[in-house]
Every structure is written in structure tokens, then in C-alpha cells.
Amino acid sequence: MHLYRAHVLVCAGTGCTSSNSVKVMEEMNTLLLANKLDKEVQIVKTGCFGLCAEGPIVVVYPEGAMYTRVEVSDVKEIVEEHLLKGRIVKRLLAGEKEAEDISKSLEGVDFFKRQTRIALRNCGLINPENIDEYIAFDGYKALEKVLTEMKPEEVIDVMKQSGLRGRGGAGFPTGLKWSFAAQQVNDVKYVCCNADEGDPGAFMDRSVLEGDPHSLIEAMAIAGYAIGSSQGFVYVRAEYPIAVKRLQIAIEQAKEYGLLGDNILGTGFKFDLEIRLGAGAFVCGEETALMTSIEGHRGEPRPRPPFPAVKGLWQKPSILNNVETYANIPVIILKGAEWFSSIGTEKSKGTKVFAIGGKINNTGLVEVPMGTTLREVVYDIGGGIPKGKKFKAAQMGGPSGGCVPAEHLDIPIDYDSLLSIGAMMGSGGLIVMDEDTCMVDIAKFFLEFTVDESCGKCPPCRIGTKRMLEILTRITEGKGEEGDIEKLEELAKNIKTAALCGLGQTAPNPILSTIRYFRDEYEAHIKDKKCTAGVCTAMLQYTIDAAKCKSCGLCAKVCPMNCISGEKKVPYVIDQAKCAKCGACVEKCPFKAISKI
Amino acid sequence: MKSIAELEEIRKKTLEKISLRTNADGIRVVVGMATCGIAAGARPVMNAFVEEINKRSLNNVSVSMTGCIGVCKLEPVVEVIDKDGNKTTYVKMTAEKAARVVVEHIVNGQVCLDLTIGAVEK
């Protein structure tokens, strides 16, 4: 065994990989060899640290120095200054780079200080492709414990007492779901994992798969033991290649160690796991559609009941949980239901992972105790809105959720509080919007997604959402009519009651919540033909202020439509009929004479 | 197939290997590795620390490096910081002296007084 004096952790999650962390790692390797440091310093590839906006991330232990936005050209300095001479490269450290007080460790950064990491406990700490590292951090200890010390009923009791609710969207109590499947008498039962994550802006599950795949395997084996199943399936979208590869490696390693397969840990328990790749259809994240897809059919939902716990995959009793839900389970077994239920609020226990994006400084992945306020997430962890703009709303829960306006910034984030204001926890996508966002346009964006992704099986979803989109499109084009809002509300109500599956039933939520909180914007679009946020181009007009215009002609040069004219000493004018409203002239004008109204 | 005992063994071994990512309350050995330190032979000293600590499977000890401590004429300088933050500064270190510090100070809690900065400066 070789001991190293320093470990260099390089994030290899999708976010950092796309910002070139692989090249950084290769350069690090080359330079360590060149400086004969390869025997002293070990490079470790890890999963997502969560601070994706600042990637690629490199953390050097034992100091815990966290370097952000590391470029290939920076590696030389890290090796020569930090690793060779022991001087931390301050200019690459996380945190306010200009400030005097730079935090040199991961834990010292505000972004991390306010988080409680349970599901993400190993992400960014261990090498996901090395089972030994997972084992070192108490991995597979929970499986040992249930197989040797607990009866299946006891495992389910712990889950019930912990208060864990599904992290995939609806928030159904996990222990209860397991107990339904456990009660069924059947030789064959299945344990399924939903890793089909399809909400725009969400990537929690992907990060767990990429950063800590063994925690999923361990949890699914525990679930198998609890309900009496010996076969599991992980349904993951093929659009997640890194996640799929790491999960494959992890499954192979687990099989090699006998942690999957027959007679696990010599206890006689048998459990095996297979991956099923999905084509990336939103509806395949709905539980019955997902199971239909695993069976090899077109992924369409079917009516419930019977619920999957009674008749699921191939008509056998089956449970389905999402990745994040599973990631919590080994810790709950080890630390106990009481510990878990002490975190969070009365009806929402534990923590929730959010993928925060949009108009926010720290886009990335965060895990906070339930009951943390939206304000804390947006301002304390997320670092607030860029360019000093005002917070307008946060879209939570993806196409099934809704918008939380500024007046509700202090709402504690838990399942029931969010529902009470017309939003939803959902899987944890959190998109922040500032004053430049048009709420009608946002509703249209989410509806476009739903219309594209509707599987088409039931008419309310297939036709109803399409009709709503037509109305919304009309409104944003300045052709809205009196009564459109009421029509939207009526359609929404009918779709909610009549759609076959959860996705159709929740599809109108983005519209309903934007109407609820931003009705005036809808009205301005319809009655005054005005988009107050200045987004809907059909209602915009660019004009040149004759008093400010110095007739320099720069605007005319940059105009792609050749619709600006004028001459020396005569103010320029825009031909409104030809204007494409691209805004290129506004940026070019040195005298700020052009404005949009 | 691995047994539970074997898993425990893997757990222990791997934790030792990656302990510098986890332990915050162990003993820290900090080696001055600025130009002066390196020129005076700090690298073999540090390697000796790593090797001795490894040999004895001391998983609550981390070895790290730091910049110039300021007394270049006494390099290589090594500081041993215990759990409570008490600092002992050893100067003019060699690989042999490093091995002694590990055995006497880190394992047995007896500071090698004759190697400390106070003794040498007298």
C-alpha cells in the first residue's frame, strides 16, 4: 500500500467535464510526472462538488484548498506553487477573489457552509469508480446491518419512522410504499430506480449517479431485502453517458465483491441489478410508463389502480423510487430513523437536493434541510441575482410545478408549504428569474416542453395542452383577446381532472401559478399589448431619441435589416415596418439614444 | 465473494489511504517547503515522515507542506501540531531525525527537545 502526502481531487461530473476538467486532469498527471511528484501526490477523479458554475473544480488535500475555474494553463502554477512549494495559489481559490479574506478550504465557502449533505455525502469526496473508497466511508455497512441484524419488517419500520418521502416529485412516504409491496404474496417482485430525470434544469440524480453510484446499488439491495425481491432495474436515460458508465463500473465491482448476486455476504440473500437505458422521453419518468418501457414497450402510462406495488413490472409487485430517495437510505439505516427525522420540518423530513439555475450567481447543486427558506437558498447559498437585479420569481418543480414570487421568498421549502402556494417540490429543479423575465413567456416555455413531450395517449394532455399553448402564443404575439385568461383557467381545470397520468394532471401548473401571481402581466399583454419585461418582441418597438442622436450612423451599419436611415446632422430613424427587433443597434449606439419601449 | 470481515478490512485499509481527506482532528506534520527548505533538503525529510507514518499505520497523522517559516538558516524546518493546536518546531531536520520524531513524539508523545528550535538556538 502506498501512502500519498497530498490528494488532488478533480471533479469529473458532467458540468466540469464539459468545461474541460478531463484536460485539466491529464495536464496534472503530466506535470506531476515531470516534477517527480507522482509518488507523493495522488490524483482522484470525483463526482460533482455542486458548484458547477465555477467549474472545473480542483480540491487539494490535506489543506482542502478549493480551486475554481481551473484552466489547463493554471495547472502548472498549482503543481509548481502548491504541490512543490506548498504555497496556495490564491488567485484560483473559491470565494470572492478580490476580497482580503479568502477562504482556502471547501468547508469555509458560504456555498458549502449552509448545506447539510446526506444524499450528496460522498459526491466530490470519493472516487466513484473505486468501490474501496465507498466502502471506506461506511459503504455497504447498512446492507451488512440489515442482512445480519434486521428482519425485513424492521427495515420497513425504520423507513416509515424516518419520515422519508419520495424525492422524485409527489413526495409519497417511502416506507409506506415499501410496505404495500412487502405485503404482496408473490415469488417474483421487482425493485426499480427512476433515473430518468427529465425536468428542464434538473440534474440531481445524474450527479448522484456520477459521484456516488454505489450508494444507489446498496440502497436498492436493501429495498430488495425489505420487500422480498431479488431483481432490480435502474432506468436511466441514455443522454447521461457518464452516469451510465460509472453505474456500470460500480455494478461490476459490486458483483466482483459479492455485494450483488447470490448469497450476498454469506447470508443467503440474493439480489441482482440491471441497467435499462431510456431514450430520454419525459413521460418515461412517470412510474407506470417507466415500467412499460422497461418491459420493452412504448413508454405510455396506464391508469392506476392497480398500483405498481400490487401489479407493476410484468404484472408483479414492484416499487419505484428515484435516485435521490435511494441515496438517503443507507445513511438512515446506519444512523437511525430518529436522527433522520430530527432534520427538516414536521411533515417533510431530511434534506432536499436542488439544482439551482437561471439568474443566480452560484448555479449548481445544493442540499439543504427541509424548511430552509427560499431566500436562504437564493441569497445565502446561491449568492443572489447577478448584476444587482431584482428577484422576480423562482420556478420550482419543473413543468409540474409553479412559480414562487418574491412575496413568498420567506416560505420554508417543504412539500406542503410549496403546494399551498401553487408550486411544488418536484424533483428539485429551481430556476431563478429576475426582473427581465416575462412570466407569460415562461409559462409558454414550460407548456412548449409539455406539448413536445406529451406521449399522446390521453386527449386532455395531447389536445388540451396544445390548445393552451396556442392561446399563450397568441398572447405573446400581441393578439390576445378578452377572456383568454378565463379560457386558460378553464382548460387548466379540465386537464387537471381528466388527464391519465401525473404529468398531464400537473401540466397546467406553470400557467395557473403565473396567472395567480402575475395576472397583471397577462392583462398588460392582452389589453395594452405591452410586455412589461420587454421580452415578447412582437410588442416591442425600438426608437431613436432625436435629441440624443449625433448622426454617427453606427446603428445603421450594424442593422441586419437595413431599416435605419439618416444622414449627417439629421437624426437617424428606424423603419418600424422592417425592424426585426434584434436589438443590435441598442448595443452599438455610443450615445444611448436608442431605447426599447 | 467478500465476507463482512473482509469488507471491514478494506474499510480500514482504504480509510488509512485517504485519511488526509477526512481527519481534521489528528496530528499534523507540516514541512517547510519553500525554496530555502527544499534547497536544505526538506523533500527527503518529508518523504521520511510519510514512510515512517505509513510503516506504523498511523491514520490520524497527516503530512503536509507549507511555505517559508522565516528562519531559513535553520531549514529544513518541520512543525508538529497536535490535536489541541500545540505546536512544536523542529529545525535542521534530516531523514534520520524524522524517524525519531515519529517514534518518540508522534507515537509516544515525548517531544524530542534536543531537536527543537529552542535547543538549537541556545
Side-chain angles (χ1 to χ4, degrees), chain B residues 72-115:
Chain B
C72 307
K73 62 169 183 174
L74 299 179
E75 292 283 358
V77 175
V78 173
E79 292 187 312
V80 176
I81 302 151
D82 70 12
K83 282 190 263 295
D84 306 319
N86 300 318
K87 200 190 270 183
T88 309
T89 306
Y90 291 110
V91 296
K92 293 194 172 175
M93 289 296 284
T94 62
E96 291 73 37
K97 288 177 184 171
R100 222 188 102 197
V101 169
V102 171
V103 179
E104 292 181 19
H105 184 164
I106 295 175
V107 176
N108 291 311
Q110 299 295 322
V111 175
C112 308
L113 274 177
D114 56 315
L115 303 180

Side-chain angles (χ1 to χ4, degrees), chain A residues 193-197 205 209 234-237 240 290 322-323:
Chain A
C193 172
N194 181 355
D196 188 67
E197 202 166 50
D205 293 345
L209 287 175
V234 183
Y235 188 86
V236 49
R237 49 175 55 206
Y240 282 179
L290 184 149
N322 91 322
V323 178

Side-chain angles (χ1 to χ4, degrees), chain A residues 510-529:
Chain A
I511 297 189
L512 288 174
S513 80
T514 46
I515 292 181
R516 178 167 171 184
Y517 295 113
F518 301 96
R519 199 182 184 103
D520 53 332
E521 280 191 38
Y522 278 85
E523 281 168 355
H525 278 75
I526 296 169
K527 289 181 189 148
D528 313 332
K529 310 292 176 208

Side-chain angles (χ1 to χ4, degrees), chain A residues 45-311:
Chain A
K45 175 160 119 180
T46 71
C48 185
F49 287 91
L51 201 54
C52 306
E54 293 289 309
I57 308 263
V58 173
V59 178
V60 181
Y61 283 97
E63 292 89 353
M66 182 181 191
Y67 296 126
T68 53
R69 298 201 186 212
V70 178
E71 288 179 25
V72 176
S73 55
D74 295 325
V75 176
K76 190 159 181 262
E77 199 174 338
I78 296 178
V79 172
E80 291 183 353
E81 284 295 302
H82 189 159
L83 297 173
L84 210 53
K85 298 176 191 157
R87 291 195 285 243
I88 289 175
V89 186
K90 289 211 175 118
R91 70 174 181 90
L92 295 172
L93 284 178
E96 299 88 58
K97 289 182 184 168
E98 295 81 21
E100 282 280 304
D101 179 31
I102 302 175
S103 171
K104 67 181 168 89
S105 85
L106 195 68
E107 289 73 22
V109 185
D110 263 346
F111 180 77
F112 280 93
K113 263 193 283 189
R114 310 189 74 115
Q115 296 191 45
T116 304
R117 289 161 86 93
I118 299 175
L120 300 178
R121 63 195 178 280
N122 290 328
C123 289
L125 186 64
I126 67 169
N127 178 346
E129 295 179 10
N130 183 340
I131 188 172
D132 288 356
E133 291 204 359
Y134 178 69
I135 291 173
F137 286 93
D138 289 342
Y140 291 106
K141 216 175 190 172
L143 183 61
E144 270 172 42
K145 186 174 172 186
V146 301
L147 294 183
T148 56
E149 297 169 22
M150 296 168 84
K151 293 198 186 100
E153 309 83 77
E154 288 172 337
V155 178
I156 291 175
D157 276 345
V158 170
M159 296 317 299
K160 279 185 179 166
Q161 283 156 18
S162 74
L164 175 68
R165 293 168 69 173
R167 301 295 193 241
F172 193 80
T174 306
L176 199 59
K177 189 188 266 185
W178 289 16
S179 72
F180 292 151
Q183 282 157 16
Q184 301 297 314
V185 184
N186 206 312
D187 292 344
V188 183
K189 294 180 186 176
Y190 296 109
V191 173
C192 303
C193 172
N194 181 355
D196 188 67
E197 202 166 50
D199 286 9
F203 51 92
M204 296 74 53
D205 293 345
R206 188 189 71 204
S207 297
V208 173
L209 287 175
E210 287 175 357
D212 193 17
H214 284 286
S215 69
L216 173 66
I217 299 174
E218 180 177 11
M220 289 182 74
I222 292 169
Y225 175 75
I227 69 159
S229 158
S230 58
Q231 179 66 50
F233 291 96
V234 183
Y235 188 86
V236 49
R237 49 175 55 206
E239 292 161 12
Y240 282 179
I242 301 177
V244 171
K245 192 181 141 223
R246 301 236 171 103
L247 184 61
Q248 268 164 350
I249 292 171
I251 289 177
E252 276 162 34
Q253 288 174 341
K255 281 185 179 167
E256 204 179 296
Y257 274 30
L259 295 163
L260 283 176
D262 293 332
N263 195 18
I264 293 171
L265 294 168
T267 59
F269 174 61
K270 179 182 161 195
F271 189 76
D272 219 329
L273 207 54
E274 282 179 39
I275 300 176
R276 285 289 182 273
L277 294 185
F282 185 59
V283 71
C284 288
E286 195 278 340
E287 67 173 353
T288 59
L290 184 149
M291 289 180 184
T292 314
S293 179
I294 293 182
E295 289 168 1
H297 305 290
R298 184 184 176 126
E300 287 180 338
R302 57 161 183 76
R304 304 174 306 174
F307 286 93
V310 181
K311 277 188 176 176

